[in-house]
Amino acid sequence: MIDQTHELPLVRQAELLQLGRSSLYYEPRPVPAAELAIMRRIDALHLDHPFAGSRMLRDLLRGEGVVIGREMVRTMMRRMRIEAL
């Protein structure tokens, strides 16, 4: 879509595609391995307890020795697109 080597300036290319210029320069950061491990565990717990929300998942993780807050669990659940029933 966006070609940085094209003669048309990036600003104009973004304008034609109706994109914000800031999205042209955004580079997503990789998810750390520790967070991926926690997300895998949240997924497994969610399969066992589909009714568990962020508070209950936080408590289950803390019972396993993972130090994590409810907001972080909520953020990871949102990123994984899972929610309690």
Side-chain angles (χ1 to χ4, degrees):
M1 302 234 339
I2 299 290
D3 184 11
Q4 294 188 355
T5 60
H6 195 272
E7 63 185 42
L8 197 61
L10 288 176
V11 174
R12 182 67 181 138
Q13 289 181 49
E15 195 176 281
L16 290 172
L17 293 171
Q18 297 178 346
L19 295 174
R21 287 186 313 172
S22 62
S23 64
L24 299 179
Y25 305 104
Y26 173 74
E27 292 183 17
R29 295 182 309 184
V31 179
E35 280 189 28
L36 285 175
I38 294 171
M39 289 169 79
R40 277 191 214 100
R41 189 62 192 136
I42 288 173
D43 189 40
L45 288 170
H46 179 69
L47 289 175
D48 293 338
H49 310 283
F51 52 86
S54 59
R55 288 182 175 97
M56 186 172 175
L57 287 174
R58 175 205 56 202
D59 294 339
L60 290 169
L61 288 169
R62 284 184 178 176
E64 296 177 358
V66 179
V67 180
I68 192 167
R70 184 181 72 86
E71 288 298 322
M72 187 61 169
V73 172
R74 183 173 170 231
T75 301
M76 289 179 175
M77 287 176 69
R78 234 183 291 127
R79 188 181 298 167
M80 295 165 30
R81 293 185 174 93
I82 61 174
E83 57 185 39
L85 296 178

